[in-house]
Amino acid sequence: MAQQKTRSLSVELLGAQTIAGINYDSRFNGNSGLGYRVGLGYGYGNTSGLFDQKINGVGVPLELNYLLGKKNSKLELGFGASLGVYQVKETVAYVEDTGWYPGTEDTDQKYGEIKYFTNKENRFGYFFFGDIGYRYQRPNGFMFRVGVSPSFNFGDKYGLSKTAFFPYIGFGWSF
């Protein structure tokens, strides 16, 4: 007799969701082996340097994963992509031109004033991620997962940057 596939709903903090999200996960067969995960989450990021950039939005993580283990404790390995629509707010500092240049006859030196330009736009963004962690999952009942989620992108204008190894934790219910 074939084993019934295990499905679960869970809440995740950090990881592929960046801040928080919900996931639906299903095995293709039984309570271990190959499966997939689809989620919906909110992400927020803040960088500073040459540009001050704030990013927030909604992403959809899509993942293929594999659970290794015979009982309820499992090694979780996964790979996927998070696709979403994000609002990007960039603030750039620049020095306003005063019209005075060295060597000109005007001896009254005028120094440039620092001005700021802010731009907001909504745009598509993505990043690829992995999952390496521990999952406690019964065929029916409480489910828990914890681990790290390495991430990367191709460095193009749509790629979102995250910390290389972002932790995650999730709680849910298997059915």
Side-chain angles (χ1 to χ4, degrees):
M1 181 183 291
Q3 212 178 11
Q4 184 178 349
K5 66 182 178 180
T6 300
R7 298 173 300 259
S8 65
L9 285 173
S10 64
V11 174
E12 180 178 310
L13 301 174
L14 306 174
Q17 309 286 3
T18 309
I19 298 292
I22 58 171
N23 294 305
Y24 171 80
D25 186 281
S26 179
R27 303 293 95 213
F28 290 116
N29 188 19
N31 192 29
S32 290
L34 191 62
Y36 65 92
R37 177 170 68 116
V38 177
L40 181 65
Y42 173 76
Y44 175 82
N46 190 4
T47 61
S48 60
L50 183 58
F51 302 101
D52 181 25
Q53 189 178 65
K54 295 181 179 169
I55 301 171
N56 66 62
V58 177
V60 177
L62 307 169
E63 177 189 57
L64 277 176
N65 53 39
Y66 196 85
L67 299 181
L68 293 164
K70 299 222 181 260
K71 302 237 181 209
N72 296 331
S73 290
K74 305 183 184 310
L75 171 65
E76 175 180 57
L77 302 172
F79 180 76
S82 183
L83 313 168
V85 176
Y86 298 89
Q87 181 184 69
V88 179
K89 179 181 175 184
E90 292 178 322
T91 301
V92 180
Y94 64 95
V95 178
E96 185 175 55
D97 187 7
T98 62
W100 178 83
Y101 302 97
T104 60
E105 293 180 15
D106 184 3
T107 58
D108 189 20
Q109 295 182 5
K110 300 175 188 172
Y111 295 100
E113 183 180 342
I114 296 177
K115 301 276 184 161
Y116 298 93
F117 172 75
T118 300
N119 181 43
K120 277 188 192 179
E121 68 177 350
N122 292 324
R123 65 180 175 205
F124 167 79
Y126 79 93
F127 60 89
F128 294 103
F129 65 92
D131 282 336
I132 304 164
Y134 168 80
R135 186 188 293 201
Y136 176 83
Q137 178 171 305
R138 299 184 320 204
N140 291 301
F142 179 72
M143 187 270 282
F144 168 76
R145 53 193 293 266
V146 63
V148 294
S149 182
S151 67
F152 69 95
N153 64 53
F154 291 122
D156 60 1
K157 71 177 184 175
Y158 300 111
L160 300 174
S161 295
K162 281 183 44 179
T163 304
F165 287 93
F166 213 58
Y168 68 85
I169 188 168
F171 301 93
W173 197 261
S174 298
F175 51 95

